[in-house]
Amino acid sequence: GAVVSQHPSWVICKSGTSVKIECRSLDFQATTMFWYRQFPKQSLMLMATSNEGSKATYEQGVEKDKFLINHASLTLSTLTVTSAHPEDSSFYICSARDGRLGLSSEQYFGPGTRLTVT
Amino acid sequence: GENVEQHPSTLSVQEGDSAVIKCTYSDSASNYFPWYKQELGKGPQLIIDIRSNVGEKKDQRIAVTLNKTAKHFSLHITETQPEDSAVYFCAASGIWNYGQNFVFGPGTRLSVLP
């Protein structure tokens, strides 16, 4: 149980284009999903928190117009990197919290998406 | 806000030896402490967690201890195997409805030498 998938696992795009990354909870309802960014040999940096049916909450310093997050259903959240630039190249990881667990804090992580902007 | 430190940043052990990674946190309100294992190019995988009402938890070769007074918690891996080689992250969090998200430590790169 508690499986989270991401698609695509890797993507290469040209500078100026937009890229959409999907995050799905496969066997549970994720009332809350999180998007992280990870640079090589560094820890995970929380970008935003999204609750199903409401606007995402972005961390300080994260541009909401550049990183569009949609959490339209209890099993799907998407991150769209708009007008991507080489500095957006990174490993993007989503996680999901099982809504059935009440006050529980467990987060289950997806396998990550490596974005390379040329 | 919460701040999590993790030591050591790198750790090399011989196969069969034990490995210990320690984390300290600053916010006494934190009460959930998970440990994640991340292999190269993959997402973090939850390996064990502990809550503040428990001092120790064990799952086969992996154990976690928590000292709330000193605000530190540790991961113990016994009988290490080459497949234990990975980056390990600790994290601290509060009860979800208080709006606290995970704060991760900087990670420890564990190498198990055959």
Side-chain angles (χ1 to χ4, degrees):
Chain A
V3 178
V4 176
S5 70
Q6 274 184 249
H7 178 80
S9 56
W10 60 271
V11 58
I12 302 172
C13 70
K14 292 186 176 181
S15 187
T17 61
S18 294
V19 174
K20 179 184 285 188
I21 302 170
E22 292 186 350
C23 176
R24 294 181 185 272
S25 56
L26 300 185
D27 51 1
F28 65 98
Q29 293 183 334
T31 52
T32 304
M33 286 184 166
F34 306 86
W35 286 95
Y36 293 84
R37 184 173 181 176
Q38 187 179 35
F39 291 106
K41 297 186 178 182
Q42 292 190 22
S43 190
L44 290 80
M45 182 187 76
L46 180 65
M47 298 174 65
T49 303
S50 73
N51 292 296
E52 185 264 340
S54 63
K55 291 184 178 180
T57 301
Y58 290 82
E59 295 298 301
Q60 191 172 9
V62 178
E63 300 176 59
K64 62 180 181 180
D65 294 330
K66 181 168 187 61
F67 299 99
L68 302 179
I69 292 172
N70 184 282
H71 191 164
S73 78
L74 285 172
T75 60
L76 173 65
S77 177
T78 61
L79 168 68
T80 301
V81 183
T82 63
S83 187
H85 288 96
E87 57 265 32
D88 298 325
S89 298
S90 189
F91 194 50
Y92 292 88
I93 311 171
C94 72
S95 71
R97 178 181 166 270
D98 190 336
R100 298 167 300 178
L101 298 178
L103 298 180
S104 179
S105 301
E106 286 97 342
Q107 291 184 30
Y108 301 97
F109 284 82
T113 296
R114 181 157 305 282
L115 170 63
T116 302
V117 184
T118 60
Chain B
E2 177 65 277
N3 181 53
V4 178
E5 296 184 354
Q6 186 172 345
H7 298 281
S9 57
T10 59
L11 178 61
S12 293
V13 299
Q14 289 295 135
E15 182 177 359
D17 288 350
S18 296
V20 180
I21 303 170
K22 183 176 178 179
C23 286
T24 60
Y25 61 100
S26 60
D27 190 347
S28 57
S30 291
N31 59 4
Y32 175 66
F33 309 94
W35 284 91
Y36 288 89
K37 174 184 181 182
Q38 187 177 29
E39 297 176 340
L40 188 63
K42 298 184 179 180
Q45 177 188 11
L46 178 68
I47 56 172
I48 198 167
D49 56 12
I50 193 167
R51 300 185 187 281
S52 59
N53 58 346
V54 176
E56 182 175 359
K57 184 177 179 181
K58 189 173 182 180
D59 183 5
Q60 300 181 338
R61 296 187 297 111
I62 296 173
V64 56
T65 58
L66 171 65
N67 184 326
K68 280 211 73 179
T69 303
K71 288 189 277 189
H72 66 72
F73 56 109
S74 299
L75 176 70
H76 304 254
I77 305 175
T78 59
E79 300 174 25
T80 54
Q81 301 167 5
E83 50 265 38
D84 294 329
S85 297
V87 179
Y88 291 81
F89 292 99
C90 63
S93 174
I95 296 176
W96 172 248
N97 70 339
Y98 292 165
Q100 290 179 286
N101 294 316
F102 282 10
V103 177
F104 283 90
T108 296
R109 184 171 299 277
L110 173 64
S111 299
V112 179
L113 309 175

